[in-house]
Amino acid sequence: MIDTLWQILVLIIVIILDYGPLARLGTWHSIAPNLLLIATWLFAWLGNRTMAIRWAVLAGIVVGLINFQRFGIYLIIFLLIVLAIDYLKLRFLEVSS
């Protein structure tokens, strides 16, 4: 429960920074990496699989509702990123005994 509340708080901060008025003040927004992709990568890399998938679903639904594109595109993209990072983490970084 605490992890979910923490993820919701991080999502609100990232959405405000990425889509809010601060993002449109400067010209850095067009060349800066997407903060949601960075947050998705961080949750997938530093957290466990369940937490990362929860983040991907939550962020995908929120971004899908905010943007004027087809709903579910970002959900699929974020889930694919999490699953790819989780696979690479298990494949290359786990030490087999």
Side-chain angles (χ1 to χ4, degrees):
M1 181 71 176
I2 302 256
D3 289 338
T4 305
L5 293 175
W6 173 250
Q7 288 177 339
I8 290 172
L9 179 66
V10 170
L11 182 64
I12 290 170
I13 292 170
V14 168
I15 291 291
I16 288 172
L17 290 176
D18 210 19
Y19 290 103
L22 293 177
R24 285 150 180 60
L25 286 178
T27 58
W28 62 272
H29 184 63
S30 61
I31 60 171
N34 192 344
L35 292 176
L36 284 166
L37 289 177
I38 293 172
T40 303
W41 175 81
L42 282 174
F43 275 110
W45 188 259
L46 300 176
N48 58 12
R49 185 179 200 176
T50 308
M51 185 173 67
I53 289 177
R54 191 179 330 135
W55 166 264
V57 169
L58 185 66
I61 288 172
V62 170
V63 174
L65 291 174
I66 289 175
N67 284 339
F68 295 107
Q69 295 179 359
R70 292 181 188 247
F71 184 76
I73 292 174
Y74 284 98
L75 178 66
I76 293 169
I77 289 171
F78 290 153
L79 281 174
L80 288 175
I81 288 171
V82 165
L83 293 175
I85 290 172
D86 187 58
Y87 171 74
L88 292 173
K89 215 167 64 166
L90 288 175
R91 176 84 169 109
F92 296 112
L93 296 179
E94 292 292 323
V95 177
S96 61
S97 52

